[in-house]
Amino acid sequence: MEVKDLLTLVPPLVGLKGNLEMTLASRLSTAANTGQMDDPREQHGVISSNLALIQVQATVVGFLAPLAALLLGALSTGELDFEKVKLLCASSVITAFLAAFALGMLMVCIVIGARKLGVNPDNIATPIAASLGDLITLSILAFFSSFFYKHKAEQQSTSGLECSDTGTVSVSALGPAPYHPGSCLPPPIFNSMGDSQSSYSRYLTPLVCIGLMALTPVWVLIARKNPPIVKILKFGWFPIILAMVISSFGGLILNKTISKEQYKGMAIFTPIICGVGGNLVAIQTSRISTYLHMWSTPGVLPLWMKKFWPNPCSTFCTSEINSMSARVLLFLVIPGHLIFLYVIYLVEGHLVPNSKTFVVFYLLAGLIQVTILLYLAEVMVRLTWHQALDPDNHCIPYLTGLGDLLGTGLLALCFLISWLLSEAELDGILEPASGPP
């Protein structure tokens, strides 16, 4: 399996973090700000049902994400390798499961601590979920995909070992050779060991998927104790699955460009631009949602938010509190990306473009991405609130999925434009040199 097949999972899984962990942080922050977690018994019910909910969502979507990514890839290439399906499904499911558990527990501790300290959890929980989500998700994905790939390689090697007349062991694609007396170690013992290792490696990835999926009914039973969570269990799947499909198109763009010379280094920048855009828009969505929960009732918009399609200037240029937070988040884009660029050039400078042209286009792409997402957040929150839907559950998945697609597409465009300009500049230098003296 080539590395680029695994990279196809990066945007959906990074987006899954936004769809689940940041949605959880936003729900818990809203619950804390509206007093739903002040009573210890009610607090325990809210926390346990929310944690169980994201385990259900993480397991199901973690199983569907690689299938969607591989299906999109198969439609473009015309072939589908079932060994890749097993490996990527196991890697994706266990990554989503463990990342949801670790980040979910962290979010609970942060929201409770912030509430006790008198700090608004919206200003702490969602940014921390955004910051640590990418790191934890990608670290777990790298570890377990390497582990499963190692066992896949061991399965292929043990199934192809044979003994030669000289007593050496070689690899054959046709499987173990028959026993020849005096050739080497007794084949019955050797083959039984090889068969047991091969069987273990062959069934490892399916067992991981089946085992984690078998826990889903347990999480459902726990989540059903909270009526609002039951509503999400029944009707909250469409935003998450559609967001996963949108993110998978970003993964398809990455899959198609990663092996081409003009896009060298794109895999390093993809999690950053997707993560920054998704994180900032999730923070803004959480703040607007909390604002509406505190000052209005579902289905009724405040007088100053009656327009479904507000003027972009009112989104960024007024003295209203949500407009001010949008400006602050927008001003964070350039400094944040410059810090990431500096770290990338220190660590992987030889693998990425180092021209000023690329840096300018990259920063411009990040600014365009976040501007579009912040405006869409304002529009989508108003529309969902008008329909008496919770923006915490319905807006963040769509916006993080769009952030992945926009980020990957704009990043590919940056690499292409930078490469075309460098080629044109190189041609301009070489053309006079090749002319008559």
Side-chain angles (χ1 to χ4, degrees):
M1 186 185 72
E2 296 180 0
V3 176
K4 66 177 185 178
D5 294 303
L6 184 62
L7 290 173
T8 309
L9 280 179
V10 171
L13 284 180
V14 171
L16 180 66
K17 174 268 304 175
N19 298 340
L20 301 185
E21 275 70 32
M22 288 196 288
T23 303
L24 171 68
S26 183
R27 278 200 306 268
L28 292 178
S29 299
T30 300
N33 284 324
T34 53
Q36 299 177 35
M37 297 178 67
D38 293 340
D39 180 70
R41 184 177 298 178
E42 189 177 1
Q43 181 188 97
H44 180 268
V46 170
I47 291 172
S48 61
S49 58
N50 273 279
L51 289 178
L53 172 65
I54 66 164
Q55 290 301 329
V56 175
Q57 293 174 327
T59 304
V60 174
V61 181
F63 181 75
L64 295 177
L67 296 181
L70 288 169
L71 182 60
L72 289 174
L75 291 176
S76 60
T77 61
E79 58 182 21
L80 183 64
D81 187 347
F82 286 99
E83 289 298 321
K84 294 179 183 178
V85 173
K86 291 194 297 183
L87 193 149
L88 293 182
C89 281
S91 301
S92 177
V93 169
I94 197 168
T95 297
F97 181 88
L98 293 177
F101 178 78
L103 287 168
M105 294 299 296
L106 181 62
M107 290 306 101
V108 169
C109 295
I110 291 172
V111 170
I112 293 176
R115 184 66 175 171
K116 289 183 177 179
L117 294 174
V119 180
N120 185 359
D122 275 326
N123 296 330
I124 300 176
T126 309
I128 291 179
S131 303
L132 295 180
D134 294 345
L135 177 63
I136 293 176
T137 301
L138 294 177
S139 299
I140 296 174
L141 176 63
F143 176 80
F144 280 100
S145 60
S146 300
F147 176 78
F148 292 136
Y149 185 76
K150 176 184 175 182
H151 280 270
K152 179 175 178 288
E154 287 178 356
Q155 173 193 340
Q156 293 175 341
S157 63
T158 54
S159 64
L161 287 170
E162 67 176 7
C163 296
S164 66
D165 294 336
T166 61
T168 60
V169 180
S170 59
V171 178
S172 170
L174 300 177
Y179 170 62
H180 296 290
S183 59
C184 62
L185 293 175
I189 300 176
F190 178 78
N191 285 345
S192 63
M193 293 172 61
D195 290 342
S196 63
Q197 292 177 0
S198 178
S199 298
Y200 169 74
S201 300
R202 184 182 302 117
Y203 296 115
L204 177 62
T205 49
L207 284 174
V208 168
C209 293
I210 293 171
L212 293 177
M213 293 291 289
L215 292 173
T216 303
V218 178
W219 308 129
V220 172
L221 290 175
I222 297 173
R224 286 173 63 89
K225 296 179 181 179
N226 190 337
I229 298 301
V230 174
K231 186 177 180 181
I232 300 173
L233 273 174
K234 290 181 179 179
F235 307 109
W237 290 100
F238 184 75
I240 293 175
I241 293 176
L242 182 57
M244 178 204 68
V245 173
I246 295 172
S247 297
S248 297
F249 280 102
L252 185 61
I253 295 173
L254 183 61
N255 193 0
K256 291 298 181 183
T257 56
I258 195 67
S259 59
K260 298 180 180 180
E261 180 63 28
Q262 57 265 44
Y263 301 100
K264 181 182 177 182
M266 183 173 166
I268 299 173
F269 287 96
T270 301
I272 295 173
I273 194 169
C274 293
V276 169
N279 297 345
L280 294 179
V281 74
I283 294 170
Q284 177 70 354
T285 305
S286 178
R287 292 181 64 88
I288 301 174
S289 176
T290 299
Y291 178 82
L292 288 173
H293 276 96
M294 294 179 67
W295 297 104
S296 184
T297 56
V300 180
L301 285 166
L303 184 62
W304 54 92
M305 296 179 70
K306 286 293 185 182
K307 288 184 179 179
F308 291 150
W309 296 92
N311 189 324
C313 292
S314 66
T315 305
F316 298 100
C317 304
T318 66
S319 58
E320 194 261 333
I321 186 170
N322 292 324
S323 179
M324 293 172 62
S325 64
R327 285 199 301 273
V328 170
L329 294 174
L330 196 60
F331 290 151
L332 291 175
V333 174
I334 300 298
H337 276 301
L338 285 175
I339 293 172
F340 286 124
L341 281 170
Y342 180 71
V343 174
I344 289 173
Y345 284 126
L346 283 180
V347 179
E348 299 287 352
H350 62 288
L351 296 176
V352 296
N354 57 1
S355 65
K356 295 179 181 179
T357 304
F358 172 78
V359 172
V360 170
F361 279 107
Y362 175 78
L363 295 176
L364 184 62
L367 199 61
I368 292 173
Q369 176 206 27
V370 174
T371 303
I372 294 173
L373 290 175
L374 290 177
Y375 178 73
L376 289 178
E378 186 75 29
V379 173
M380 291 185 68
V381 168
R382 296 185 185 199
L383 290 173
T384 52
W385 189 263
H386 179 71
Q387 298 296 323
L389 299 174
D390 189 351
D392 288 334
N393 301 319
H394 291 81
C395 293
I396 291 179
Y398 291 131
L399 291 168
T400 53
L402 286 171
D404 293 341
L405 182 59
L406 272 174
T408 310
L410 289 171
L411 183 61
L413 191 61
C414 286
F415 273 88
L416 180 61
I417 293 174
S418 178
W419 180 78
L420 290 174
L421 291 176
S422 63
E423 288 292 309
E425 183 179 352
L426 185 62
D427 290 343
I429 295 173
L430 294 178
E431 187 174 348
S434 60

